[in-house]
Amino acid sequence: MPERRTVALVTLGCARNEVDSEELAGRLAADGWELVEDAAAADVAVVNTCGFVEAAKKDSVDALLEANDLKDHGRTQAVVAVGCMAERYGKELAEALPEADGVLGFDDYADISDRLQTILSGGGHAAHTPRDRRKLLPLSPVERQRAVADVALPGHGAGQDPAEDLPEGLAPASGPRAPLRRRLDTSPVASVKLASGCDRRCSFCAIPSFRGSFISRRPSDVLGETRWLAEQGVKEIMLVSENNTSYGKDLGDIRLLETLLPELAQVDGIERVRVSYLQPAEMRPGLIDVLTSTEKVAPYFDLSFQHSAPAVLRSMRRFGDTDRFLELLDTIRGKAPQAGVRSNFIVGFPGETEEDFAELERFLTHARLDAIGVFGYSDEDGTEAATYGNKLAQDVVDERLAHLSRLAEELTAQRAEERLGETMEVLVESVDESPDGDGAVGRAAHQAPETDGQVVFTSGDGLTPGRMVTAKVVGTEGVDLVAQFLEEAGR
């Protein structure tokens, strides 16, 4: 009888990392590993790290050190780092953090079982030397699909050449192309990778260097994985990538998302399709129409504004300004008045003047966003912005961050109050009627998991996780809504 091998996956960072972890889980389960939730009960703890900003990197290091402590009083024998931070720093991370028994890059994912077995057996595996992954694919997007078979793309999970011709209708959830994925929770919501990488060159962002150039998944793969998730009980899928508005440009059709969304919405068992990570400069009238008028597609706009002062945006190598962004929001709400909009913003960018900061305040005050993330600027290794002069003093950055964070909290609470009296469809995610429990909690179409607010029901009677119900907003708690259950949502 083969020896029992157990592994736990600890995931940090964004929804894209969660998809990557479930692909790793699928590969490991297929090779006989037993997946456990508690790292202390696992032979190997695999920490899927985030390498986006300093705070996220610190969280990743803390998680690795915490997992390492389990070696002294748990079953854990090895701690392995994977994910963006591991890919971005490789040998440097391995040298700085000897507590990690292995540092594996994306190229190791296909052989993750062998890598973990080697490490568990006391053998070593050299941490990779980081490289600019943008150089692994052709510069021309239309030539990339032919070359993609030789490039590791975490979360794409079909295990075969995406450029391979298949009979009409054959999807990854059937036959030999079953998705390499294993669910790590029982949530009625799951993310699906739409693409990987990014071709934009924002001066503050290092992600393209370690995630690579933009490459779309085939529509049949996305549909097949969605069908498979529906069979697992998933009711809502969230399409994720570094830039969903670019989907299809390397497949010869920049409007491919507009045709894919209605097909995803028709998958049996799926009640809601949500799209994240949209670039304002790439928004098309046709995409807005599909997002605001297609049944089961959430009228939800996760727009990456980052700032609204023209001078700052140009320094960021981005486009737009306050008035153009407000016009975009007016267009969206003209088609779907209840549409949800969220965005992130960077304050204290090099050269940001008081006038620039005031312009950003003006935008936020008029934008009526449902959720706002605010970050203080910090240099990121290898980015253009790190070489800029005109850096603001840290106390100025901190002051602006605190000020805008307070404003964002006030504005999103006001936006929540505007929804009083609205009737909306809510996906029930959890029900806990214990004295100390949260009661019944769900999310409406304008609320994405983790990043936005939630709906708290006045009573959990008759509610179960995974149900889509109609509810009326009767109160607010900051950005969260308090709602009364009315009836099962009709389709």
Side-chain angles (χ1 to χ4, degrees), residues 355-430:
E355 291 76 17
D356 293 330
F357 187 66
E359 184 68 2
L360 177 55
E361 285 188 277
R362 181 171 81 89
F363 171 67
L364 289 178
T365 302
H366 290 88
R368 297 170 55 231
L369 303 180
D370 293 277
I372 300 171
V374 185
F375 301 88
Y377 173 81
S378 62
D379 286 339
E380 280 296 310
D381 299 332
T383 62
E384 181 184 352
T387 69
Y388 286 176
N390 253 355
K391 299 279 174 61
L392 275 64
Q394 189 60 49
D395 61 339
V396 174
V397 176
D398 293 342
E399 181 182 345
R400 291 183 182 180
L401 174 61
H403 176 82
L404 206 70
S405 296
R406 288 192 298 269
L407 178 62
E409 188 174 345
E410 293 172 7
L411 292 172
T412 52
Q414 289 174 16
R415 177 65 182 132
E417 290 174 359
E418 290 179 21
R419 295 189 179 275
L420 282 168
E422 281 189 16
T423 298
M424 53 185 59
E425 290 188 349
V426 180
L427 177 64
V428 182
E429 291 194 335
S430 64

Side-chain angles (χ1 to χ4, degrees), residues 174-197:
S174 61
R177 290 177 64 88
L180 284 169
R181 182 166 180 173
R182 174 75 172 266
R183 297 217 67 204
L184 294 173
D185 60 40
T186 58
S187 168
V189 184
S191 296
V192 175
K193 275 274 184 83
L194 194 61
S196 287

Side-chain angles (χ1 to χ4, degrees), residues 18-95:
E18 294 171 5
V19 177
D20 296 351
S21 285
E22 293 199 346
E23 181 186 295
L24 290 174
R27 292 182 182 277
L28 290 166
D31 204 46
W33 289 78
E34 180 181 342
L35 301 168
V36 297
E37 291 185 17
D38 185 3
D43 297 317
V44 184
V46 177
V47 180
N48 192 347
T49 60
C50 179
F52 181 40
V53 293
E54 284 303 318
K57 287 183 275 189
K58 182 181 183 302
D59 289 343
S60 295
V61 170
D62 289 345
L64 287 163
L65 293 174
E66 184 177 336
N68 184 68
D69 289 342
L70 297 175
K71 295 179 188 176
D72 297 330
H73 30 261
R75 177 188 176 100
T76 310
Q77 301 174 51
V79 175
V80 176
V82 299
C84 291
M85 191 175 180
E87 173 64 34
R88 184 177 180 184
Y89 294 104
K91 290 181 177 180
E92 183 181 343
L93 177 62
E95 292 169 359

Side-chain angles (χ1 to χ4, degrees), residues 208-230:
S209 66
F210 58 85
R211 278 289 185 178
S213 298
F214 186 88
I215 187 79
S216 303
R217 291 183 73 191
R218 290 161 39 123
S220 59
D221 286 353
V222 178
L223 276 163
E225 188 165 322
T226 299
R227 295 187 186 104
W228 178 81
L229 287 167

Side-chain angles (χ1 to χ4, degrees), residues 30-358:
D31 204 46
W33 289 78
E34 180 181 342
L35 301 168
V36 297
E37 291 185 17
D38 185 3
D43 297 317
V44 184
V46 177
V47 180
N48 192 347
T49 60
C50 179
F52 181 40
V53 293
E54 284 303 318
K57 287 183 275 189
K58 182 181 183 302
D59 289 343
S60 295
V61 170
D62 289 345
L64 287 163
L65 293 174
E66 184 177 336
N68 184 68
D69 289 342
L70 297 175
K71 295 179 188 176
D72 297 330
H73 30 261
R75 177 188 176 100
T76 310
Q77 301 174 51
V79 175
V80 176
V82 299
C84 291
M85 191 175 180
E87 173 64 34
R88 184 177 180 184
Y89 294 104
K91 290 181 177 180
E92 183 181 343
L93 177 62
E95 292 169 359
L97 199 69
E99 291 86 353
D101 299 287
V103 175
L104 305 182
F106 297 152
D107 293 334
D108 292 306
Y109 282 22
D111 301 309
I112 186 68
S113 178
D114 290 342
R115 299 287 186 266
L116 296 191
Q117 186 59 58
T118 297
I119 293 168
L120 187 59
S121 300
H125 179 71
H128 75 108
T129 300
R131 53 181 172 168
D132 189 339
R133 296 190 73 86
R134 290 172 292 193
K135 298 178 180 179
L136 301 182
L137 289 168
L139 185 62
S140 170
V142 296
E143 296 177 6
R144 291 176 190 164
Q145 291 288 331
R146 299 186 187 93
V148 76
D150 299 323
V151 178
L153 295 172
H156 284 222
Q160 296 182 15
D161 178 2
E164 177 183 310
D165 290 329
L166 292 175
E168 185 69 26
L170 182 61
S174 61
R177 290 177 64 88
L180 284 169
R181 182 166 180 173
R182 174 75 172 266
R183 297 217 67 204
L184 294 173
D185 60 40
T186 58
S187 168
V189 184
S191 296
V192 175
K193 275 274 184 83
L194 194 61
S196 287
C198 185
D199 288 342
R200 300 184 71 88
R201 293 296 178 263
C202 301
S203 63
F204 56 84
C205 183
I207 289 176
S209 66
F210 58 85
R211 278 289 185 178
S213 298
F214 186 88
I215 187 79
S216 303
R217 291 183 73 191
R218 290 161 39 123
S220 59
D221 286 353
V222 178
L223 276 163
E225 188 165 322
T226 299
R227 295 187 186 104
W228 178 81
L229 287 167
E231 292 169 1
Q232 310 301 307
V234 169
K235 300 299 181 183
E236 175 181 327
I237 62 161
M238 184 166 73
L239 300 177
V240 298
S241 76
E242 279 72 25
N243 177 11
N244 282 332
T245 33
S246 282
Y247 179 69
K249 71 176 186 179
D250 52 318
L251 294 170
D253 185 0
I254 191 60
R255 295 176 177 81
L256 196 54
L257 185 55
E258 286 96 302
T259 58
L260 176 61
L261 285 171
E263 294 183 66
L264 292 169
Q266 292 173 14
V267 171
D268 287 343
I270 295 298
E271 295 291 339
R272 180 185 288 155
V273 178
R274 184 183 303 277
V275 184
S276 62
Y277 306 113
L278 301 169
Q279 288 292 339
E282 297 181 34
M283 289 301 296
R284 306 174 292 276
L287 180 57
I288 295 174
D289 287 342
V290 170
L291 288 170
T292 54
S293 65
T294 307
E295 185 178 7
K296 295 189 179 183
V297 173
Y300 176 80
F301 293 81
D302 178 9
L303 294 163
S304 177
F305 289 122
Q306 302 299 344
H307 213 283
S308 72
V312 176
L313 286 167
R314 301 307 174 266
S315 293
M316 291 179 168
R317 298 205 178 278
R318 297 177 66 83
F319 306 95
D321 55 48
T322 295
D323 293 334
R324 273 190 277 184
F325 290 164
L326 291 176
E327 288 175 9
L328 173 60
L329 296 178
D330 286 344
T331 298
I332 290 168
R333 290 176 175 136
K335 296 176 179 294
Q338 294 183 339
V341 186
R342 81 166 322 274
S343 191
N344 293 326
F345 300 88
I346 298 173
V347 298
F349 194 79
E352 181 190 63
T353 64
E354 291 184 5
E355 291 76 17
D356 293 330
F357 187 66

